Amino acid sequence: MSDAVSDADRIRNKRLAKLGSQAIPKPDQNGDGTSDEASSIQSPLRPTSPTQEQKEQIKPKINISGSSPSPKPTDNPFAPLGVKERMAASPQISIKPGAETGLASRKRPVSDQERQSSRGGETLPEWEDKILRGIFRLTLDASVRTDGHGHPLSFVKSVREDLEDQRQPIRLEAAILDQAILEAASNVSKVTPLDYLLACWKRVTGQLKHHKGNRAEEKRLDVLKEARRLCMSYCIFAITMPEMFGREPSNTSPLLSHLLVDPEDERGICHDFLAEAVSRFADDDTIEPTLVGAVEDLSRQLARMTMNDNYKSYVLALRHLVRYPPLVRAIARSPLFAPSSTPASELEATTLLGPFFAISPLQADITSQYFSSPKTRDRAFITNSQRSLRMSLTTHQQDLLDIVNQIIRSDKGARDSILDWFALCVNKNHKRRALQVDKKLVSSDGFMINVTVCLDQLCEPFMDEQFSKIERIDTEYLRRQPRVDIKEETKLNMDQNSADKFYERTAEGTNNFISEVFFLTLAAHHYGTESTNQMLSQLEKDLKRMEKHIEEIEVDRHKWINSPAQLKMFDNAVKKYKDQIDKGLSYKYAVQGVLLDETMQTRSLQFMRYVIVWLLRLVSATNFPKQSFRLPLGSNPSNVFEALPEYFLEDVVGAYRFVMRNMPWTISSTQSDELIILCITFLRNSEKIKNPYLKSGLVTIMFAGTWPAPNRPKGVLGDLLMGMPIATEHLLHALMKFYIEVENTGAHTQFYDKFNIRYEIFQIIKCVWDNSVYREHLDEESKVNVDFFVRFVNLLLNDVTFVLDESLTAFQQIHNLSEELQNPQHLEQAVRQEKEEALSGAKSKAKSYMQLTNETVAMLKLFTEALADAFTMPEIVQRLADMLDYNLDVLVGPKSNELKVENPREYDFQPKVLLADIIEIYLNLKSKESFIFAVARDGRSYKPANFEKATLILRVKAKDLMSPEELRAWTALGAMFMKAKEADDQAEEDLGEIPDEFLDPVMATLMTDPVILPTSKSIVDRSTIRSHLLSDPTDPFNRAPLKIEDVIAATELKGQIEAFKAEKRGAKLAEVNIMDTSPG
């Protein structure tokens, strides 16, 4: 025998030595309750060295040598197993009994009782030979190559030769089984050694289950257990040492292909195998890394797949593996599990769980296949495709939840690891909420949606209807080394500096699991589903823009018609652009299919309900919902609340806004109650939130909640807004307060943003206006909180004036430009193009502003009808009269013909309806003398002829818009204006020359209530400065800050003015009764 031993042989020797020491000890041999070998049995995978006395007792039954002398027992670690040592030179086979190590190495006499079998006289050795041949499909007869069932058998030639040389019966027994297994596994050709051994494992396990619990067959059980032990050991060798069987090691785990097979298949990894392997972790330090390596290889291969590939077997394999807590703990310790240095773009490919969560119908190739040629597909096809992808995704997400749940339940270390991984996913993806998202730098939408859905499901166990566990959500979580990174996030009502100082003071204690999951889920919504919602909105805008661009490009096709080369380039460019549109459209349909999952959204809203209640408990300092609270809230700030990230409220707004617009029927009544309370609370106490656009989201939710829905004519929230006590008491004030606040948002787009927000406020008010309780509250508000109400009305008038003016001006532009473009041949191309662009802009402007015009005028109608006194206060009445007169002049005056445009309904422009609305506002205030005089004093726009023209239009061309009674009242009102004008002119004439000190320096009118401004010392009328301060809180003469409470009454001057008036015109005015319209 050669002295040189290969590396492979040395490794094999070491492993086989371990294998030998794993033998199961036999029952008592000495009759005294102990076994001779008991003291020598050590760790099952650690080889034991026999004592000198034992060495002397070991007498090998078979010792066949070549020319080389036999090695000493201590020279051959194969000896305890009786396996022949394979050397490069002349082979030497040594089959020996183990030194008191168990059944595999014990040879003892067999008693007559043992020899006699209950099965037709079959002895134990005969049974042992038959059962081992069947399990391992071996034969010692070269002429017998199949069993009775036609299964091929492996002829173990060397074993037979050894038995013949030792003059032993030609049969298999446990003592020589290891040599037989090694020879058979090494000689397989069509399958791998592991394939062969796993099939053997299934058979021996089946036999053991068949014999389980039968005490009469204890010795047979010992044979089967030893066969099972050896089979497992050789399986491990086949995985970790393929060279032992003459195979080259692979770059991927040999287990991988077997994990992907059904566990019940002969090649599959069954429960018993994994349970046995896991039980050996402590004794064999190679098993754990082998299994973990197989899981890592699973992940690596899955990272190259999509939902179109056979991903399911990989997911099922991991589901199967995580059923074993020791293996889960090992997997969680893998360096691939949650490496903190992984960039966001690589999370789904390089972390261990990433590829499993990356599987989604939003993967690039999938969307194009689900929605190929999207422009040619009808709605039914798209809906069916979306339903199909939802079903596939829902099943996959349930598998992901099962995997995560098993990891969480295994032990605290694994639970911490999975929480770390979720935290890594959200913390690395902050850039998903950037204004411009670079998809190359962040995780994909599908990946983040799966993360969010999984976390939502983890929250379900503690989200009961009674909120019994809501106290477990720790308010101090973010100050106690949180996993969620909020440092760079904008806070609800605290600047970055203050927030940094607040969070520097670390809270004591440890964070519980419920708090961890709650805050991680909130962050996942922000960077996951809500980010995808935001992306979807932007994608829809981009697709519209691209479609419009294609139309503009196609107009120029005629330019290249005579140049084939350039036309081809043009067509290629257009095709490329259209392909981008198709790709975007396919992705849009796929994203909608994923997000419009009722189960997913219902679960999401259930979580958001908990967020709402948690926020209300925090800001009100009450045990809500068991304990109610009153509005407005106290002024004592809650630092914990103010230092929360804005997305705590932004996620709620986004989730409900999406559902309101797309699937409102999924919102339950209890969710609606708490949602309304949230909106009204933070609009009524708007100082609790810094960002006006975040507060506008609360308005948007209520606005969307009033849209008609199936079986709900007032929408999801309309009926509740009509009757909930908190709504009837606080809703109008909250909306009016925000109407005032939104005048200045701080953004460069604030001027236009306020109109969109106020439009939504109008819709909410219109929805609840039928309830008289609201009108009563508003009337009381106008009397009790006068300054607040005057500011609201002033801004309302500003809006009506602006949007009416912009709308009507736009129609004049459309009219004039359309006439100019009727004969374009007379215009130069550049001029024509310029006018066409101007016309397009005017049309767009008219559409936008006309919608706002209709709503603001409608709102003014409602308010003036219910609150005539409030709208005729000195600070308001003149502005209101001037606005009405101006717009009446535009609609019926000399330039009214310029409002004629083609297709006026395209812009929602109905001039006769608008005229009737304005006249109705006049009529609402007809009983107020201050309003009559205000109209008459409008020196710019009041024209009696306009009232006559309006009467004619309504009587002849719009009979259905006003009743005869209203027309008669309108005629009488016109007469009142004329009489008031005459009386006012006469009074003005009677006053004669007014001293300058009695004139208001701003309005140049006689003051009635002069006041002194404290800083500039200027004197103006109180109504003038009050009106000025509504829109500008400064002294108009020196720009110093000023409040109406700071002005000083000029009592002495007021007395002088009153005396002047009494002397000049008092008597004359007293003689005139302007309200009497009778003839003569």
Side-chain angles (χ1 to χ4, degrees):
M1 182 179 69
S2 171
D3 293 333
V5 181
S6 69
D7 288 343
D9 286 332
R10 282 198 296 272
I11 295 172
R12 187 160 57 248
N13 294 350
K14 177 181 177 182
R15 295 306 303 273
L16 286 172
K18 285 188 178 183
L19 175 64
S21 67
Q22 293 180 22
I24 301 172
K26 287 288 288 181
D28 172 24
Q29 289 247 298
N30 300 327
D32 58 358
T34 63
S35 174
D36 288 342
E37 71 273 21
S39 61
S40 67
I41 297 177
Q42 300 178 14
S43 175
L45 286 181
R46 294 177 184 172
T48 57
S49 300
T51 62
Q52 186 62 38
E53 182 180 352
Q54 288 170 334
K55 290 178 183 179
E56 293 172 359
Q57 293 174 355
I58 297 174
K59 302 295 183 182
K61 291 185 177 181
I62 301 176
N63 188 2
I64 302 175
S65 304
S67 57
S68 301
S70 299
K72 297 178 181 178
T74 55
D75 291 337
N76 181 9
F78 285 54
L81 295 172
V83 180
K84 67 178 181 179
E85 185 175 307
R86 301 174 180 217
M87 297 297 182
S90 55
Q92 179 176 352
I93 302 174
S94 179
I95 304 176
K96 304 178 180 181
E100 303 289 328
T101 59
L103 177 66
S105 53
R106 179 178 295 111
K107 302 293 289 183
R108 63 181 179 81
V110 181
S111 66
D112 292 340
Q113 183 179 2
E114 290 174 352
R115 291 181 184 278
Q116 190 65 33
S117 169
S118 61
R119 300 180 183 179
E122 184 181 49
T123 64
L124 178 62
E126 291 171 344
W127 174 87
E128 183 176 13
D129 175 55
K130 181 188 72 174
I131 202 71
L132 293 180
R133 288 173 188 255
I135 289 171
F136 293 95
R137 298 211 173 141
L138 303 174
T139 179
L140 293 172
D141 185 347
S143 63
V144 179
R145 291 306 179 98
T146 59
D147 62 12
H149 299 287
H151 299 127
L153 301 177
S154 177
F155 175 51
V156 282
K157 180 180 179 182
S158 297
V159 174
R160 180 182 179 91
E161 289 173 354
D162 289 348
L163 291 173
E164 288 173 346
D165 290 346
Q166 296 290 342
R167 295 186 176 85
Q168 294 294 321
I170 307 301
R171 66 188 177 205
L172 286 174
E173 58 183 16
I176 62 170
L177 181 58
D178 52 350
Q179 182 178 349
I181 293 173
L182 180 61
E183 182 176 351
S186 300
N187 292 336
V188 293
S189 57
K190 294 183 179 180
V191 296
T192 66
L194 185 57
D195 288 334
Y196 164 73
L197 291 166
L198 284 174
C200 297
W201 169 267
K202 295 284 178 66
R203 290 190 288 271
V204 71
T205 301
Q207 287 291 337
L208 269 170
K209 289 178 180 178
H210 177 70
H211 287 78
K212 190 174 182 180
N214 192 338
R215 295 180 61 84
E217 298 185 350
E218 183 176 347
K219 298 186 184 305
R220 295 188 177 191
L221 280 175
D222 289 340
V223 171
L224 291 173
K225 287 178 181 178
E226 178 64 5
R228 184 174 183 267
R229 183 188 70 82
L230 288 170
C231 187
M232 169 58 70
S233 298
Y234 274 101
C235 282
I236 295 170
F237 293 161
I239 297 167
T240 59
M241 296 174 56
E243 64 272 21
M244 180 177 182
F245 303 91
R247 306 298 172 102
E248 292 295 324
S250 170
N251 292 328
T252 58
S253 170
L255 269 178
L256 184 57
S257 61
H258 299 277
L259 289 171
L260 300 176
V261 178
D262 189 301
E264 300 305 314
D265 188 275
E266 275 200 348
R267 297 184 65 250
I269 305 296
C270 64
H271 165 73
D272 297 293
F273 181 91
L274 285 172
E276 177 68 17
V278 168
S279 71
R280 297 191 181 196
F281 274 9
D283 302 314
D284 190 336
D285 55 9
T286 64
I287 300 177
E288 179 181 312
T290 297
L291 290 176
V292 173
V295 175
E296 292 173 346
D297 284 343
L298 269 179
S299 177
R300 291 189 187 98
Q301 281 199 9
L302 185 60
R304 298 191 291 269
M305 296 185 179
T306 69
M307 194 169 250
N308 273 350
D309 300 313
N310 185 26
Y311 73 93
K312 189 71 175 178
S313 57
Y314 290 80
V315 178
L316 293 177
L318 185 59
R319 274 190 62 184
H320 186 45
L321 292 169
V322 295
R323 292 168 57 194
Y324 306 91
L327 179 55
V328 172
R329 293 192 286 271
I331 292 171
R333 291 192 295 269
S334 165
L336 298 184
F337 198 87
S340 59
S341 60
T342 308
S345 58
E346 297 179 14
L347 286 172
E348 54 199 291
T350 60
T351 62
L352 196 143
L353 292 178
F356 296 89
F357 278 79
I359 294 295
S360 167
L362 301 186
Q363 288 171 297
D365 296 338
I366 308 300
T367 58
S368 297
Q369 293 180 24
Y370 266 106
F371 304 100
S372 58
S373 304
K375 288 185 179 179
T376 65
R377 303 298 184 179
D378 58 22
R379 190 67 241 177
F381 175 87
I382 293 170
T383 301
N384 288 334
S385 297
Q386 289 175 333
R387 187 180 298 115
S388 174
L389 70 83
R390 271 198 298 271
M391 290 175 62
S392 299
L393 182 60
T394 299
T395 303
H396 177 60
Q397 288 171 343
Q398 186 58 50
D399 289 338
L400 294 178
L401 176 65
D402 292 343
I403 291 168
V404 170
N405 264 329
Q406 291 292 343
I407 295 174
I408 288 172
R409 293 170 182 170
S410 61
D411 81 335
K412 184 179 183 304
R415 182 168 65 245
D416 287 343
S417 294
I418 191 67
L419 292 176
D420 288 341
W421 184 77
F422 281 127
L424 188 68
C425 293
V426 296
N427 292 336
K428 291 286 187 177
N429 275 291
H430 285 203
K431 290 183 179 179
R432 279 179 58 85
R433 295 313 300 259
L435 291 177
Q436 297 292 331
V437 180
D438 185 347
K439 292 194 173 185
K440 295 179 181 178
L441 300 179
V442 296
S443 299
S444 69
D445 294 320
F447 173 79
M448 290 303 294
I449 288 174
N450 285 340
V451 167
T452 307
V453 170
C454 185
L455 283 167
D456 269 342
Q457 291 172 304
L458 290 180
C459 291
E460 283 187 300
F462 65 79
M463 293 194 304
D464 60 305
E465 289 291 328
Q466 291 74 37
F467 300 95
S468 61
K469 297 181 181 179
I470 198 166
E471 293 181 356
R472 300 281 305 279
I473 302 172
D474 195 346
T475 58
E476 295 289 351
Y477 171 83
L478 295 173
R479 297 176 62 200
R480 194 184 290 117
Q481 298 179 335
R483 282 184 165 86
V484 179
D485 179 13
I486 63 164
K487 183 175 176 59
E488 301 302 324
E489 291 294 337
T490 306
K491 307 306 185 289
L492 280 173
N493 201 22
M494 194 177 283
D495 60 56
Q496 191 63 47
N497 226 0
S498 302
D500 290 343
K501 291 179 181 177
F502 175 75
Y503 285 116
E504 281 175 4
R505 300 189 296 274
T506 307
E508 296 180 356
T510 57
N511 291 320
N512 59 59
F513 179 72
I514 288 179
S515 296
E516 293 278 14
V517 175
F518 178 79
F519 285 91
L520 280 170
T521 306
L522 256 174
H525 273 277
H526 187 59
Y527 304 114
T529 50
E530 295 310 312
S531 172
T532 306
N533 287 346
Q534 184 184 49
M535 179 280 303
L536 181 59
S537 298
Q538 186 59 48
L539 177 60
E540 290 174 337
K541 293 176 184 176
D542 291 342
L543 288 172
K544 288 181 181 177
R545 177 181 51 79
M546 293 170 75
E547 291 282 7
K548 185 176 180 181
H549 187 55
I550 282 288
E551 292 176 4
E552 294 171 352
I553 292 175
E554 289 287 2
V555 172
D556 294 331
R557 175 178 292 277
H558 67 278
K559 295 179 181 179
W560 322 110
I561 200 71
N562 295 321
S563 175
Q566 289 183 319
L567 182 61
K568 184 177 180 181
M569 291 174 62
F570 176 86
D571 287 338
N572 289 338
V574 170
K575 182 181 182 303
K576 187 176 180 181
Y577 206 74
K578 287 182 176 179
D579 288 345
Q580 287 296 315
I581 293 176
D582 283 352
K583 184 177 179 182
L585 197 56
S586 296
Y587 193 70
K588 170 191 166 181
Y589 290 148
V591 172
Q592 287 176 334
V594 171
L595 293 179
L596 296 177
D597 182 340
E598 285 194 28
T599 303
M600 167 187 162
Q601 293 299 342
T602 301
R603 190 185 298 118
S604 172
L605 293 188
Q606 176 68 2
F607 174 75
M608 290 305 165
R609 183 187 179 204
Y610 255 66
V611 177
I612 288 172
V613 172
W614 188 78
L615 288 174
L616 290 173
R617 289 166 62 91
L618 190 58
V619 77
S620 66
T622 62
N623 186 25
F624 181 81
K626 296 178 181 178
Q627 178 185 353
S628 60
F629 56 86
R630 292 187 60 80
L631 295 179
L633 298 173
S635 58
N636 295 331
S638 167
N639 288 334
V640 174
F641 175 81
E642 292 183 343
L644 289 176
E646 279 187 353
Y647 70 70
F648 276 52
L649 191 56
E650 187 180 353
D651 286 357
V652 174
V653 171
Y656 275 97
R657 183 163 51 197
F658 180 84
V659 173
M660 290 280 191
R661 290 176 175 173
N662 295 284
M663 44 207 314
W665 56 88
T666 61
I667 301 175
S668 67
S669 58
T670 52
Q671 290 171 344
S672 300
D673 288 351
E674 289 140 1
L675 182 60
I676 289 173
I677 294 172
L678 176 85
C679 294
I680 294 176
T681 297
F682 287 116
L683 290 174
R684 184 69 176 82
N685 292 86
S686 57
E687 69 280 359
K688 299 287 184 184
I689 301 171
K690 181 173 55 177
N691 186 348
Y693 292 99
L694 189 54
K695 288 179 277 191
S696 75
L698 301 174
V699 174
T700 300
I701 289 177
M702 290 193 289
F703 164 56
T706 63
W707 293 350
N711 303 318
R712 294 179 178 183
K714 285 187 174 290
V716 177
L717 303 181
D719 291 329
L720 292 172
L721 289 172
M722 287 282 284
M724 279 183 70
I726 192 173
T728 56
E729 187 174 353
H730 298 286
L731 176 62
L732 276 184
H733 183 96
L735 293 174
M736 290 164 63
K737 183 178 181 181
F738 190 58
Y739 188 101
I740 295 169
E741 285 184 16
V742 83
E743 181 71 15
N744 297 295
T745 63
H748 68 281
T749 57
Q750 67 178 14
F751 184 78
Y752 299 100
D753 293 340
K754 69 181 180 182
F755 290 115
N756 293 325
I757 296 168
R758 287 170 177 171
Y759 170 82
E760 295 179 350
I761 290 175
F762 293 153
Q763 301 307 306
I764 299 169
I765 294 175
K766 283 170 63 177
C767 177
V768 302
W769 195 251
D770 291 340
N771 187 342
S772 61
V773 176
Y774 278 104
R775 297 195 294 276
E776 292 167 5
H777 279 305
L778 189 61
D779 185 43
E780 183 181 354
E781 188 86 49
S782 69
K783 296 171 182 176
V784 174
N785 200 349
V786 177
D787 288 343
F788 171 80
F789 190 79
V790 168
R791 289 186 64 197
F792 168 73
V793 172
N794 180 69
L795 291 173
L796 178 60
L797 292 179
N798 286 346
D799 288 351
V800 174
T801 302
F802 176 80
V803 297
L804 259 173
D805 186 51
E806 290 293 310
S807 299
L808 300 180
T809 301
F811 287 123
Q812 290 173 344
Q813 292 174 343
I814 293 171
H815 174 82
N816 296 333
L817 288 168
S818 297
E819 284 192 343
E820 292 178 24
L821 289 169
Q822 281 182 353
N823 298 306
Q825 63 273 15
H826 299 300
L827 299 173
E828 295 182 3
Q829 183 176 352
V831 176
R832 179 176 59 82
Q833 185 174 352
E834 182 181 343
K835 289 187 179 295
E836 287 174 346
E837 291 175 357
L839 178 60
S840 176
K843 288 181 177 180
S844 176
K845 181 180 177 182
K847 286 180 182 179
S848 301
Y849 281 118
M850 199 61 230
Q851 186 179 27
L852 289 170
T853 295
N854 292 332
E855 293 303 325
T856 50
V857 170
M859 193 55 48
L860 194 58
K861 275 174 51 181
L862 293 179
F863 281 5
T864 53
E865 179 184 22
L867 306 165
D869 288 335
F871 278 85
T872 53
M873 290 188 288
E875 299 88 345
I876 296 170
V877 66
Q878 193 59 56
R879 293 194 62 232
L880 175 59
D882 292 347
M883 182 272 294
L884 292 172
D885 288 344
Y886 171 78
N887 288 293
L888 182 64
D889 186 48
V890 173
L891 287 171
V892 303
K895 295 186 177 181
S896 59
N897 288 333
E898 295 181 5
L899 298 178
K900 292 181 179 179
V901 295
E902 292 183 4
N903 303 320
R905 290 188 177 274
E906 177 186 349
Y907 315 99
D908 201 15
F909 178 43
Q910 302 178 64
K912 296 182 184 67
V913 174
L914 182 58
L915 174 62
D917 287 343
I918 289 177
I919 289 176
E920 193 170 334
I921 295 171
Y922 275 106
L923 294 175
N924 289 340
L925 304 173
K926 68 179 185 297
S927 63
K928 303 301 176 182
E929 184 175 298
S930 59
F931 175 68
I932 303 297
F933 273 108
V935 171
R937 288 171 184 164
D938 177 13
R940 186 181 76 158
S941 302
Y942 170 66
K943 299 170 186 174
N946 289 340
F947 290 84
E948 296 172 3
K949 180 73 176 292
T951 303
L952 181 63
I953 291 172
L954 292 174
R955 184 170 292 158
V956 177
K957 300 181 180 180
K959 295 179 181 180
D960 57 332
L961 293 179
M962 298 195 77
S963 67
E965 292 78 11
E966 289 173 322
L967 283 173
R968 284 194 293 271
W970 172 244
T971 303
L973 183 58
M976 288 184 195
F977 292 145
M978 291 176 64
K979 194 169 184 179
K981 175 65 173 172
E982 293 171 1
D984 198 57
D985 288 345
Q986 184 61 49
E988 193 73 29
E989 184 179 337
D990 293 342
L991 282 175
E993 188 72 22
I994 302 174
D996 289 344
E997 61 269 23
F998 293 172
L999 291 175
D1000 183 288
V1002 177
M1003 304 299 293
T1005 56
L1006 180 66
M1007 292 185 288
T1008 58
D1009 185 11
V1011 293
I1012 303 169
L1013 307 186
T1015 57
S1016 67
K1017 303 303 180 183
S1018 300
I1019 298 176
V1020 295
D1021 194 78
R1022 185 183 297 273
S1023 63
T1024 300
I1025 192 61
R1026 184 189 291 274
S1027 186
H1028 167 78
L1029 292 176
L1030 291 174
S1031 54
D1032 187 353
T1034 64
D1035 186 322
F1037 299 97
N1038 63 4
R1039 313 306 298 166
L1042 179 64
K1043 295 180 181 178
I1044 192 63
E1045 297 85 3
D1046 299 333
V1047 301
I1048 304 163
T1051 309
E1052 183 178 350
L1053 180 60
K1054 182 176 181 180
Q1056 295 173 5
I1057 294 172
E1058 292 295 335
F1060 173 77
K1061 287 164 54 178
E1063 178 185 351
K1064 296 287 187 179
R1065 56 179 288 192
K1068 184 69 175 177
L1069 286 176
E1071 296 175 1
V1072 179
N1073 182 5
I1074 64 165
M1075 303 304 288
D1076 181 10
T1077 60
S1078 59

